[in-house]
Amino acid sequence: MSGSPFVLRWGILGPGWISAHFIKDILKDPKTRDVTDVTHLCVAVASSSSAEKAQQFIDTNAPGVAGIKAFGSYDKLLADKDVDSVYIGVPHSLHYPVAKLALEAGKHVLVEKPMTINAKQAIHLAEIAKANNVYLMEGAWTRFFPTTFAIQKALFEDRVIGDLVTVDAVLGHEFPKDRSHRIYDPELGGGALLDLGVYPINWSLILCYNHPDNKKTAPASVSASALMDKISGVDEQTHVTMMWPRINVISTAKAYITADTSTDCRVRITGTLGEIVVPDVTENPWRYIVRLLGQPEYVVENPIPGHGLFYEADQFARDVRDGKKESEVMPLEESVLVQKITDEVREQIKLKFPASAEEVSG
Ligand SMILES: NC(=O)C1=CN([C@@H]2O[C@H](COP(=O)(O)OP(=O)(O)OC[C@H]3O[C@@H](n4cnc5c(N)ncnc54)[C@H](OP(=O)(O)O)[C@@H]3O)[C@@H](O)[C@H]2O)C=CC1
Ligand SMILES: O=C1OC[C@@H](O)[C@H](O)[C@H]1O
């Protein structure tokens, strides 16, 4: 592509762990991933507590990068005319109120996963984005990796493993048992399901909901079971089974916060001719293994030149450049579907959050 790249000017809300990866990723030269049509600037970072914290985040994660403003409140950043789009990296239960503020301020919004705590809030954010004529996307970054697209092509177009039979995905991470961590805090939407479970659930949507023969039909049933933490009441280990009768597939999604997942198989996709396995990681896949019955296995690799959040950011920038209002890769309807599934799971496993975290306002 010729001409100057489209430049998207980002503001970051919530200078925490994932925002540090985001700022480092968007500041990488896009050419390192063969991208020349869009590029990113970070123009501001805001902390809800102090401008000093925002400045420290900038100094640590973007040393030597000039022109990034540090704000001590989200409102101040949202009032800044130099900011086109915001990345929201705050705990789950704050996604809804903070994204609402940003959309109402006329900013395009990339909000971390899960989009919200429940489907009602996700639907409301989609309505607010529409009313304000701005772009809204959930940071479902798994969907934007070259490996994810390659697996969809192998399955749907090249039919490498024949007819799809099962999809089983898992993500576990050993969190400290420190009950002050957000993962154990019901006020912040803690537990395995909303933090980790949304990834394996997304794999079901990537491969089953989006299977051409499924015609975008929601799972006919969702069944869940969980083990709950006795102190905080959040789910420590959750298993979900989804039925996709149009394509004759059963998929499973498993998540736990008490141990790290093994790295030999995170996603297993079984077909009538063999299987595709994603080892290593569930969230940011960079390779997959194909095992066809009676043949030697082979590996398809797409190394990631960084953490990998730039793939979703690049597509976000292209969509904003092109005047789109939502993503074709992660449409709002699918973010809402993920939340409808997690609402159903929460009902079955009795995962309750305080009413203040669940509410929809204005
Ligand atoms: N895509 C991915 O791979 C990942 C996504 N995530 C998602 O990102 C979000 C943030 O996670 P993570 O970065 O681990 O969280 P952190 O706790 O590291 O950071 C969250 C930030 O939110 C801000 N914040 C605002 N209000 C509160 C509050 N009441 N309590 C705590 N923090 C608050 C804080 O900054 P301040 O108050 O200064 O503004 C804080 O730095 C989560 O929703 C998670 O699902 C997380 C990890 C990986
Ligand atoms: O999205 C995530 O992926 C990695 C995990 O460690 C983190 O808690 C989670 O939010």
Side-chain angles (χ1 to χ4, degrees):
M1 179 162 301
S2 60
S4 307
F6 173 77
V7 182
L8 192 65
R9 301 174 306 169
W10 290 94
I12 293 178
L13 300 176
W17 188 84
I18 193 61
S19 296
H21 283 294
F22 186 77
I23 189 171
K24 286 187 264 192
D25 261 8
I26 61 166
L27 293 178
K28 280 189 198 316
D29 181 352
K31 291 198 193 80
T32 59
R33 52 187 185 274
D34 296 327
V35 168
T36 53
D37 59 334
V38 292
T39 189
H40 310 272
L41 280 181
C42 181
V43 295
V45 172
S47 157
S48 69
S49 49
S50 72
E52 289 71 33
K53 182 176 170 192
Q55 188 59 54
Q56 195 177 29
F57 174 91
I58 295 165
D59 295 343
T60 306
N61 298 296
V65 179
I68 310 180
K69 291 174 243 184
F71 291 111
S73 87
Y74 297 164
D75 283 333
K76 284 192 182 137
L77 184 148
L78 293 174
D80 189 328
K81 298 270 179 291
D82 292 338
V83 174
D84 305 315
S85 300
V86 294
Y87 171 79
I88 300 178
V90 300
H92 314 335
S93 59
L94 301 170
H95 291 184
Y96 171 72
V98 175
K100 183 170 180 285
L101 271 182
L103 294 167
E104 287 170 348
K107 305 300 183 192
H108 305 296
V109 168
L110 173 56
V111 58
E112 259 307 335
K113 43 60 57 178
M115 183 168 220
T116 49
I117 288 292
N118 57 42
K120 213 169 42 174
Q121 293 180 340
I123 291 167
H124 195 214
L125 286 186
E127 289 166 356
I128 298 170
K130 194 165 182 202
N132 287 277
N133 199 30
V134 286
Y135 189 90
L136 169 64
M137 189 178 103
E138 176 194 0
W141 65 319
T142 309
R143 293 186 177 225
F144 294 83
F145 285 83
T147 289
T148 309
F149 292 122
I151 292 173
Q152 285 183 305
K153 180 171 181 297
L155 200 66
F156 302 156
E157 291 175 35
D158 305 335
R159 298 184 54 80
V160 169
I161 56 167
D163 293 337
L164 182 61
V165 178
T166 60
V167 174
D168 300 293
V170 58
L171 180 55
H173 181 56
E174 185 179 8
F175 284 88
K177 280 275 181 186
D178 167 11
R179 294 305 193 293
S180 65
H181 191 282
R182 69 171 172 80
I183 203 78
Y184 281 105
D185 189 346
E187 292 267 357
L188 298 180
L193 176 68
L194 291 187
D195 197 59
L196 303 179
V198 292
Y199 288 109
I201 290 173
N202 256 288
W203 274 105
S204 282
L205 266 60
I206 290 165
L207 301 173
C208 302
Y209 183 73
N210 282 290
H211 191 294
D213 298 338
N214 184 55
K215 312 263 182 246
K216 306 242 180 210
T217 311
S221 65
V222 172
S223 345
S225 40
L227 293 172
M228 315 303 275
D229 173 47
K230 291 186 180 55
I231 299 170
S232 65
V234 305
D235 62 313
E236 279 195 327
Q237 191 182 145
T238 296
H239 290 194
V240 184
T241 304
M242 286 159 272
M243 301 285 282
W244 307 87
R246 279 192 102 128
I247 49 173
N248 228 14
V249 170
I250 299 181
S251 67
T252 63
K254 297 181 184 174
Y256 39 90
I257 55 175
T258 42
D260 292 329
T261 335
S262 65
T263 52
D264 59 335
C265 176
R266 296 294 190 96
V267 186
R268 185 185 303 280
I269 308 154
T270 312
T272 47
L273 304 178
E275 66 178 21
I276 291 176
V277 163
V278 181
D280 315 304
V281 286
T282 319
E283 320 89 290
N284 42 352
W286 62 275
R287 64 173 183 153
Y288 63 95
I289 303 165
V290 181
R291 296 189 187 119
L292 297 179
L293 298 170
Q295 294 183 36
E297 69 177 37
Y298 61 92
V299 183
V300 181
E301 293 187 355
N302 281 291
I304 304 162
H307 196 64
L309 291 159
F310 38 62
Y311 294 123
E312 64 177 11
D314 289 343
Q315 193 53 48
F316 185 106
R318 285 185 194 106
D319 288 349
V320 168
R321 174 196 66 190
D322 298 344
K324 295 184 180 168
K325 296 295 173 257
E326 66 176 294
S327 166
E328 283 162 22
V329 179
M330 187 58 189
L332 294 171
E333 169 243 332
E334 289 195 45
S335 292
V336 170
L337 177 57
V338 171
Q339 305 268 195
K340 285 185 176 167
I341 293 170
T342 55
D343 282 357
E344 173 63 36
V345 171
R346 285 184 52 204
E347 182 75 31
Q348 292 181 25
I349 67 174
K350 300 186 174 47
L351 173 59
K352 302 230 181 294
F353 300 133
S356 54
E358 304 272 8
E359 69 193 14
V360 165
S361 55

